[in-house]
Amino acid sequence: MKILIVDDEKDITSSIKIGLEKNGFDVDAYTDPQKALDDFKPNVYDLSLIDVKMPKMNGFELYREIKKKEDNAKICFMTAFELYHDELKKVLPTIKVRCFIRKPISLKDMVSHIRSELNLS
């Protein structure tokens, strides 16, 4: 299973990458959302983990751009902030994401969340 991580905090990105690789995932990690978008290839990733709050391009903007390249891309937002699905729907009425990971999260819980999202549990 190949996972894309995009989070502007290098220590978080690095920790998640190392932890997921130790759990058998193949991981590409980026701290720059524009670079992640430039390198994004359709049908490569089983799941993309995208931080919501990033400078220059936030996670929702990156989501929109990834969906232009791969309409059926599976996306999971990561955030330390309270987000409510109903409020998100008002901002992005066409969004199809159900997956949110609240930071901080333990590696065990993150792996469980990813396995569940990918129907591996």
Side-chain angles (χ1 to χ4, degrees), residues 49-91:
L49 303 175
I50 300 175
D51 187 32
V52 170
K53 190 174 180 188
M54 296 182 286
K56 299 178 188 168
M57 178 187 293
N58 68 42
F60 302 131
E61 293 165 329
L62 180 57
Y63 165 87
R64 281 191 204 121
E65 295 304 314
I66 285 175
K67 286 297 203 170
K68 288 178 186 175
K69 291 185 173 198
E70 181 185 346
D71 185 53
N72 63 344
K74 280 189 137 184
I75 309 286
C76 190
F77 289 118
M78 300 185 296
T79 185
F81 301 97
E82 283 292 327
L83 279 178
Y84 297 99
H85 192 262
D86 292 340
E87 290 180 33
L88 176 62
K89 282 293 213 182
K90 291 176 192 170
V91 177

Side-chain angles (χ1 to χ4, degrees), residues 18-59:
I18 291 167
L20 292 181
E21 287 176 341
K22 286 182 178 178
N23 280 275
F25 294 99
D26 184 8
V27 180
D28 288 340
Y30 292 85
T31 55
D32 178 348
Q34 186 61 56
K35 176 77 171 127
L37 181 61
D38 292 345
D39 291 353
F40 186 87
K41 303 269 185 296
N43 306 309
V44 169
Y45 299 103
D46 296 291
L47 182 65
S48 296
L49 303 175
I50 300 175
D51 187 32
V52 170
K53 190 174 180 188
M54 296 182 286
K56 299 178 188 168
M57 178 187 293
N58 68 42

Side-chain angles (χ1 to χ4, degrees), residues 80-113:
F81 301 97
E82 283 292 327
L83 279 178
Y84 297 99
H85 192 262
D86 292 340
E87 290 180 33
L88 176 62
K89 282 293 213 182
K90 291 176 192 170
V91 177
L92 294 169
T94 61
I95 199 166
K96 298 174 188 168
V97 174
R98 301 176 334 275
C99 180
F100 288 90
I101 293 176
R102 184 147 188 233
K103 297 188 295 187
I105 186 170
S106 71
L107 179 61
K108 179 183 176 189
D109 288 344
M110 179 171 276
V111 168
S112 175
H113 201 93

